[in-house]
Amino acid sequence: MKLLGFNFLVFLIFAPLLAFAQVNVSGEVYDASNTKGLASVEIYNEFGAKLAVTNAEGIYTFTSLEAKLNLVFFKYGYTAVKSVVLLNGAKLATILLEPSAEQLSEVEIVAVKQKLFSIKRLKDVEGTAIYAGKKTEVILIDNLMANLASNNARQIYSQIVGLNIYQNDDAGLQLNIGGRGLDPNRTSNFNTRQNNYDISADVLGYPESYYAPPAESLSEIQIIRGAASLQYGTQFGGLVNFKTKAPSRFKPLEVVLRNTLGSNGLYTNFTSFSGTQKKLSYYAYINYKKGDGFRPNSEFESKNIFSHFEYAFSPKTKVEVELTYLTYLAQQAGGLNDAMFSNDPYQSVRSRNWFQVDWLLYNAKITHEFSEKTTFSFNFFGLNASRDAIGFRTNRVDQIDSFEERDLIRGKFRNFGFEPRILHAYNFLGKKAKLLLGAKFYKANNSNEQGPGSNGSAADFGFETAKYIDYQAQSSYDYPNLNTAFFGEQIIYLKDNFSVTPGFRMEYIKTESIGYYKNVNLDAAGNVLLNETIPSMETRKRAFVLLGIGTSYKPNKQLEVYNNISQNYRSVTFADISIVNPAFVINPNITDEKGYNLDFGIRGIFNKTVLYDLSVFGLFYNNRIGFVQKAFPDGNVKSERGNVGSATIYGLESLVDFNLIKLFDIDYKYGVSLFVNTSLIDSKYNASEINGITGKKVEFVPRVNLKTGFKFAYKDFSSSIQYTYMSEQFTDASNSVDSNLSGVIGMLPSYDVLDLAFSYKYKKFKIETGINNMLNSAYFTRRATGYPGPGIIPSPPRNSYLTLELKF
């Protein structure tokens, strides 16, 4: 009944979008050498969007609202034809394609590259943003062979160098990626955005991302490394921007239906609506997921709705409005220690742990082109959300549940902000130059409560403080945070092929913590010795400037040499200072992290056959926050979270993607490619006030991070095989190898995983299937300090999926 009501609500929201009229367009394409109908000819518009494909008789049809189109007719082995046509609903003129014995045309080269390469780079300038001289990577979702239905990050991000990924579940409810020694937990060391606006809980006070859009809804995932700190925010990792699919420009209604069945009772549905009616365009989707999980006590249900509307007042002015809603409930099987994992990696001894997310995002954007040289954009965005967690989470993860009251943590996130940008082109010393200026205002009023929950087993997120008045972990805080920033970057071309891009960011940050915590002492028999409420109020103000500069040298169209150095900053989160956790303690003197990123590399496409990006990097930290093992006056040894010291992380990152069709002169009916993604990284703590830390390795830094894959395609059939290897890594600054009782501290062993995927398209239908972790490796990528642990969180064993897509 819940699902029926949800679907009815979705129907009411999107029903008005289905009423647009459409114009049918048809035509024929023939082989000029024998005048026979030519099958599988692809028809594109001038913007590269595919409109149709001819059938066995060479006939094609599509719908459009335009009066005039610039079309490109393309098929492998034939010379592409460009044609300007008038659309009046009648049959178009017959198109003749000449067989080509010569090299492919530019249009054909682009088409081949798009089918084989799943990644690209950002241009020097896109929209009102500057990317010259920065290490940028863009994942092209439509070109991937990956399990999109479950947001399989190992496959989706396989060609992004140096990423460390937590693989917690088989549904992709959350994204957990880090890189270069950054904790992957909820992607908290990146600035996460959707269509260029913030989506995390609190950009400064709690930059964790409980929401990640379904991969099935995306066209691109843009990643800019640490140099993104100047334009987007101060995070050491940089930017991850999810770009949703654009509205269909030539149909009033395009519908995509995707249903997936998978192991462990997995079912997902993704349905999208898209179209254009005169000046109004839209893209919307619903996404439903449910499953039992690969461990006992790990069922889940998720519902996600998204809508995007844009209205073009004129060719120079456009307004866009977006609304995103996500809700999900997941049972959490709890963590394990090393002995438990060795005995049975998929066991669960927690049946009363639950996690709930309610996420509402909104955004309004206006873009205006004052002239050919000046463009302006203004984003207004906000979040209204909550995150609740309840469970029995003692420090001893092998302890049998006592079925007493559970620990309950409830967080509410209310924030809004706006970001204006202006990009202006001008001449400087006789050469072209581009200047970007922008500002950001961000206001948050978040809260967090911790205390006793019920002693039952259900997903009950109500406090029972009156019943358990002497519960020890009790607190309540408000976090009114304020952030204002002013930033600028400009590209100066000293030569036509050499540019310098300096930049700055001026930040003012005010974070507050207002509330109380309980100090409750019990004797050995459980009798209350002390129960007092201690008020707490703290205000932290910071004002600083971040600087950066990049260069780009392009001796030819196939090669670019780039380098960049940018400062970074990360403030202490309120989770660091106000949540009581049985698995560790917080150093009361914990403070913000500072440092900078350095990149130097070469990238390009060699002889139209090899895409490559080879670079060295350095990440330099001051006051790095981490865990150490510490002896306390009562004789206990516990993990303490605080500022460990200064650290350096450095390494070599390389991505090489081979187009084997061109390399070995293979028939163009085929598609064959091979990629190798390698990161070789080292690290050390340079200085620390904590004994035994200087000279130790930095946590979350595997020396070897390898992902490689082979893709084979023939006409409408595609397949791929991907191999992932990650060497061992430490989880605390003490470089502990052995685990503690909670399983929180200890080494992450090396692991390798093999994935297989297949895809076949037939007219409006597409079938996708695959096997993840084909060799059934038992491994883990995470030792969680809190939920969903504490302890070792196993990664999924062998599992499979089957997806059926219908597009019309």
Side-chain angles (χ1 to χ4, degrees), residues 721 753-756 771-777 798-799:
I721 187 168
V753 184
L754 192 68
D755 299 320
L756 190 64
I771 303 174
N772 305 317
N773 191 5
M774 190 166 62
L775 301 181
N776 203 27
S777 299
R798 181 191 297 124
N799 61 92

Side-chain angles (χ1 to χ4, degrees), residues 120-276:
K120 70 173 185 178
R121 315 297 170 203
L122 289 168
K123 302 176 195 175
D124 286 359
V125 176
E126 295 199 11
T128 52
I130 290 177
Y131 303 113
K134 298 175 174 59
K135 185 176 181 66
T136 66
E137 299 151 302
V138 181
I139 303 170
L140 303 173
I141 298 296
D142 287 343
N143 295 350
L144 288 178
M145 288 290 296
N147 186 359
L148 301 181
S150 64
N151 283 0
N152 190 308
R154 182 177 66 247
Q155 298 168 10
I156 294 171
Y157 296 85
S158 62
Q159 296 192 45
I160 304 300
V161 293
L163 283 192
N164 200 348
I165 303 171
Y166 283 164
Q167 301 162 38
N168 296 340
D169 62 63
D170 54 359
L173 295 179
Q174 290 182 4
L175 178 64
N176 296 277
I177 61 174
R180 301 178 173 180
L182 301 174
D183 189 345
N185 185 45
R186 298 191 186 98
T187 320
S188 59
N189 283 285
F190 284 93
N191 181 285
T192 52
R193 295 190 172 203
Q194 176 177 269
N195 296 329
N196 287 317
Y197 59 89
D198 293 302
I199 61 174
S200 61
D202 184 321
V203 174
L204 294 167
Y206 194 59
E208 302 196 4
S209 298
Y210 289 94
Y211 159 76
E216 293 165 302
S217 71
L218 302 176
S219 63
E220 296 179 358
I221 302 175
Q222 302 171 341
I223 299 177
I224 300 97
R225 295 309 173 110
S229 59
L230 304 184
Q231 286 188 60
Y232 294 101
T234 62
Q235 295 289 1
F236 279 83
L239 171 75
V240 176
N241 181 43
F242 303 102
K243 187 176 179 181
T244 57
K245 292 181 178 178
S248 175
R249 304 298 179 185
F250 302 101
K251 291 182 180 180
L253 175 62
E254 179 181 87
V255 180
V256 177
L257 298 172
R258 289 173 58 91
N259 284 282
T260 299
L261 296 175
S263 301
N264 310 308
L266 177 67
Y267 168 70
T268 78
N269 170 267
F270 177 86
T271 303
S272 68
F273 310 89
S274 177
T276 297

Side-chain angles (χ1 to χ4, degrees), residues 103 109 117 556 558 604-612 659 662-663:
Q103 288 188 335
I109 290 171
F117 296 141
N556 54 57
Q558 288 75 43
I605 299 178
F606 175 72
N607 198 27
K608 304 172 184 176
T609 61
V610 181
L611 180 149
Y612 61 91
N659 177 348
K662 180 74 175 178
L663 197 63

Side-chain angles (χ1 to χ4, degrees), residues 712-723:
F712 172 81
Y714 177 72
K715 294 185 178 180
D716 292 322
F717 171 80
S718 300
S719 63
S720 73
I721 187 168
Q722 178 183 311
Y723 175 75

Side-chain angles (χ1 to χ4, degrees), residues 500-787:
V500 178
T501 308
F504 72 92
R505 186 179 186 91
M506 300 172 59
E507 285 272 348
Y508 172 76
I509 301 172
K510 180 182 178 183
T511 56
E512 297 181 75
S513 174
I514 305 169
Y516 69 87
Y517 67 92
K518 291 278 190 177
N519 184 17
V520 180
N521 292 334
L522 307 177
D523 63 17
N527 299 310
V528 179
L529 301 177
L530 177 67
N531 186 332
E532 61 178 343
T533 300
I534 301 177
S536 174
M537 181 177 295
E538 181 180 2
T539 300
R540 300 190 184 194
K541 298 180 181 180
R542 304 86 142 178
F544 54 88
V545 176
L546 300 181
L547 300 175
I549 188 170
T551 64
S552 172
Y553 174 57
K554 301 174 182 177
N556 54 57
K557 293 183 178 180
Q558 288 75 43
L559 172 65
E560 179 185 5
V561 181
Y562 65 93
N563 79 293
N564 188 283
I565 181 170
S566 293
Q567 292 178 294
N568 303 93
Y569 177 92
R570 187 173 189 270
S571 62
V572 172
T573 71
F574 56 70
D576 288 329
I577 59 178
S578 62
I579 293 180
V580 178
N581 192 311
F584 63 89
V585 296
I586 298 292
N587 187 315
N589 299 317
I590 192 170
T591 188
D592 303 333
E593 300 172 305
K594 301 176 182 179
Y596 60 95
N597 271 272
L598 172 66
D599 282 288
F600 175 81
I602 59 173
R603 60 192 175 197
I605 299 178
F606 175 72
N607 198 27
K608 304 172 184 176
T609 61
V610 181
L611 180 149
Y612 61 91
D613 189 343
L614 312 175
S615 65
V616 293
F617 77 89
L619 195 160
F620 304 88
Y621 253 112
N622 290 317
N623 300 324
R624 178 181 169 95
I625 294 175
F627 287 94
V628 295
Q629 296 282 71
K630 186 175 179 180
F632 287 82
D634 60 3
N636 290 324
V637 176
K638 295 182 180 179
S639 298
E640 181 186 70
R641 181 170 174 82
N643 298 102
V644 177
S646 63
T648 302
I649 305 166
Y650 53 93
L652 169 68
E653 297 176 333
S654 69
L655 172 68
V656 185
D657 200 342
F658 300 91
N659 177 348
L660 300 182
I661 289 181
K662 180 74 175 178
L663 197 63
F664 295 106
D665 196 25
I666 300 173
D667 189 317
Y668 280 95
K669 293 179 181 178
Y670 295 88
V672 187
S673 66
L674 170 70
F675 78 87
V676 181
N677 172 0
T678 309
S679 296
L680 304 175
I681 308 178
D682 205 351
S683 64
K684 68 175 181 179
Y685 278 100
N686 303 313
S688 176
E689 297 181 359
I690 304 172
N691 292 333
I693 298 300
T694 302
K696 291 291 180 69
K697 301 297 182 184
V698 178
E699 54 270 49
F700 307 114
V701 180
R703 283 180 175 266
V704 180
N705 185 339
L706 170 68
K707 300 178 182 70
T708 183
F710 178 80
K711 182 190 293 185
F712 172 81
Y714 177 72
K715 294 185 178 180
D716 292 322
F717 171 80
S718 300
S719 63
S720 73
I721 187 168
Q722 178 183 311
Y723 175 75
T724 301
Y725 171 78
M726 189 80 72
S727 63
E728 67 274 0
Q729 53 189 293
F730 297 107
T731 59
D732 72 315
S734 306
N735 289 184
S736 303
V737 175
D738 298 326
S739 172
N740 56 8
L741 293 175
S742 67
V744 169
I745 295 300
M747 180 175 282
L748 290 177
S750 62
Y751 66 88
D752 59 349
V753 184
L754 192 68
D755 299 320
L756 190 64
F758 302 94
S759 172
Y760 179 73
K761 293 178 67 175
Y762 178 73
K763 296 182 179 180
K764 297 180 180 181
F765 294 91
K766 184 178 182 181
I767 296 176
E768 300 172 7
T769 187
I771 303 174
N772 305 317
N773 191 5
M774 190 166 62
L775 301 181
N776 203 27
S777 299
Y779 68 105
F780 61 93
T781 62
R782 182 180 186 183
R783 293 180 181 270
T785 58
Y787 289 106

